[in-house]
Amino acid sequence: MNDGSTSGELADSLRALVSRLSPGDRLPSSRELIKEYRVGPATVARAIAALAAEGAVVTRPGSGTFAAQRRRLRAAGGSEMDTDWQTVALTDRTVDTHLIADPLGPPPAGTITMDGGYVHRSLQPTRTLSAALARAARRPDAWDRAPAGGLMALRTVFARIVGGSVAPEDVLVTAGGQSALSIAFRAIAGPGSPVLVESPTYPRALAAARAAGLRPVPVPLDADGLRPDMLADAFAMTGARLLYCQPTYQNPTGTVLPPERRRQILDVARASGAFVIEDDFARHLGHGGAVPRPLVADDPDGTVVHVTSLTKPAAPSLRIGVLVARGPVMERMRAVRLVDDFFVTRPLQEAALEVLSSPSWDRHVRSLGTALRERCAVLAAKVTQEIPGATLAGLPTGGLHLWVRLPSGVDDAVLTGAARRRGVAVSAGSRYFATEPPAAHLRIGFAATADHAELTEGARRLGAALTDVGGTAADEGFAPPT
């Protein structure tokens, strides 16, 4: 090829070369191509750009040009679309998708849902929510820009709910609890830092921590929740400066930290110079008894960063949560949320304020607690009957789930798949551990079903699925709830 050759001719030659390469193989450098084909740098640049636009190659500045994957997808109009270049461009994965997506995919119609984290529509305060949103939308300033920290009146209500010495200035309104966790993880610890977590714990918190570049380090639980002695050891061994925990109605176990242990955990964190992210997602999901004060209400030193939201007790689309903190950490979190999305939409904040300020909210929380307590008892009884050999440490006094240890030899992932084929969706316990689980578990929800009859039928289908996978639980002995 001589100096008069066009970039189009060079592109044709390179296409032939790429067809002989494997996906991910590196093409010759620009200098090598200039020398081999006797062309100028501009001709090489135009040819490479043409192949990149076609998806035949992927360029990575500083590394070179690589042959792209050749698998093709169908675009909406029926033409072929090649997105395999993204495999190289995306490099390492930071979002652990298996923790936040159902590995079995959406359940088919007719499946009894016992793996969700929200209450059934029949348990939601639908009329109150609709009326509140309608009133909020009619306000003259409904579509004005909201303050970055959230409406002051809404922050005042949340400060009162949290209690202690928390002031409205200590509250930052977020787009739900998951957004709050993401903000807190990114604001408090730098990429590569360890974060201590309960074992087991909430999978989407693990995903948010890993997406922030943090390394989750598990700390065991017992019947009273997180163990302070093991926590102290974990801080000493890892040098961690952050703990994520759920002191009240822990997900998935339902444990509640007793008062003495709450004090011990805060003392250990303070002695280690560490922050504690307190995920108080279930503050309004008690089953009728007294709900313990949040850790942040008894924290005089700014150790605790508190997270709570209205999504779980109200409805999935009421994406209103808050972060509560004192000191420079709050300024850091405000900065992160400004980078993310400026503020939470004003009509939703106004609606949340209407809901929390209405007498019907307290009535809803009480009636919801009664319904959850009844459903919990029904499901526990049916699990006893349908899954002999399973172990339920005790009836939770709040929350939305039972945590069930499976009989020896039963694989939770296999059983979950068999249950889906039987028409019931439950969660495999292995998703709730940052490392290898010590035993097979299921998390079984009692809030997302329509009624008690559906709970009963779901448990029956789960028992049938256990038989399908060859479960021989009868001689293991069932540990009844206490």
Side-chain angles (χ1 to χ4, degrees), residues 426-441:
V426 293
S427 298
S430 53
R431 299 178 62 234
Y432 297 83
F433 292 90
T435 56
E436 298 81 2
H441 292 79

Side-chain angles (χ1 to χ4, degrees), residues 313-470:
S317 285
L318 188 62
R319 306 299 303 173
I320 293 291
V322 296
L323 284 160
V324 177
R326 276 74 66 90
V329 68
M330 175 55 88
E331 296 307 314
R332 183 78 61 86
M333 292 192 297
R334 286 194 183 106
V336 172
R337 83 81 33 85
L338 279 172
V339 169
D340 281 354
D341 56 8
F342 293 118
F343 58 88
V344 176
T345 178
R346 186 168 192 133
L348 203 58
Q349 290 193 61
E350 295 281 9
L353 179 59
E354 290 259 2
V355 169
L356 289 175
S357 302
S358 169
S360 64
W361 175 249
D362 289 336
R363 292 195 297 271
H364 165 69
V365 171
R366 288 194 298 271
S367 64
L368 177 62
T370 299
L372 293 177
R373 182 177 67 248
E374 293 171 351
R375 286 164 171 257
C376 179
V378 168
L379 181 59
K382 296 307 295 183
V383 167
T384 304
Q385 178 182 334
E386 300 291 349
I387 316 178
T391 304
L392 180 63
L395 281 179
T397 57
L400 308 173
H401 314 99
L402 294 181
W403 183 241
V404 180
R405 179 167 175 165
L406 294 172
S408 176
V410 177
D411 185 299
D412 56 1
V414 172
L415 179 56
T416 301
R420 184 69 65 91
R421 291 188 292 274
R422 283 281 185 174
V424 59
V426 293
S427 298
S430 53
R431 299 178 62 234
Y432 297 83
F433 292 90
T435 56
E436 298 81 2
H441 292 79
L442 291 181
R443 193 194 73 168
I444 311 176
F446 46 79
T449 53
D451 50 32
H452 292 187
E454 200 168 69
L455 273 179
T456 299
E457 175 61 15
R460 187 198 66 77
R461 295 182 187 183
L462 185 57
L466 181 63
T467 302
D468 293 343
V469 301

Side-chain angles (χ1 to χ4, degrees), residues 91-130:
T91 65
D92 187 34
R93 182 175 68 186
T94 57
V95 178
D96 197 343
T97 53
H98 89 275
L99 292 174
I100 58 176
D102 187 344
L104 300 176
T111 300
I112 296 176
T113 303
M114 302 173 75
D115 64 343
Y118 302 109
V119 299
H120 189 266
R121 188 177 302 160
S122 62
L123 300 177
Q124 298 170 13
T126 308
R127 290 185 179 179
T128 300
L129 291 171
S130 298

